[in-house]
Amino acid sequence: MDSRKLALLCRELADNKKAENITVLDVRKLSSVTDYFVIASGTSEPHLRAIVDEITDRLRDDYDVRPKAVDGTFKAAWVVLDFFDVIIHVMRDDVRDRYDLEALWGDAPRVKTRKRAKQASA
């Protein structure tokens, strides 16, 4: 699966568990480390766990894809899933506001999704 499809699939899986403010950043021209960041917010430790589990379990079960590394903790309110070409950040809003990855990677274009386009036209 190519990196863009994986990033959009991770966005969809996070949305399945009602993740908030999901953003996909295309960092291919800015980073030699990865192609895409998926950033999503959860409201509590159980919510973060549900989002992370949905992504990891579905990718493993449906596509035989596993993260190369997992970092962070639910207690710290920031978990990073590293799929090499796609890195997913799942964090609580206060942590997301503090580290402001979208501003840090402000030159990275946001990837528009079909769902977002449909909502805009409605």
Side-chain angles (χ1 to χ4, degrees), residues 42-113:
T43 57
S44 64
E45 194 174 315
H47 191 202
L48 296 174
R49 184 180 311 278
I51 296 164
V52 168
D53 288 350
E54 175 75 359
I55 294 168
T56 56
D57 292 351
R58 291 282 302 278
L59 289 178
R60 182 192 61 234
D61 295 347
D62 297 351
Y63 301 93
D64 197 31
V65 173
R66 291 168 176 76
K68 308 291 184 234
V70 177
D71 199 9
T73 66
F74 298 108
K75 279 210 177 303
W78 186 354
V79 177
V80 179
L81 305 171
D82 184 350
F83 289 93
F84 189 67
D85 291 333
V86 177
I87 296 177
I88 297 105
H89 299 268
V90 181
M91 54 185 74
R92 209 175 48 224
D93 273 335
D94 61 315
V95 174
R96 186 170 179 170
D97 289 343
R98 183 178 321 132
Y99 291 98
D100 199 5
L101 295 178
E102 288 94 338
L104 183 65
W105 293 92
D107 292 341
R110 291 175 187 247
V111 177
K112 301 229 186 311
T113 63

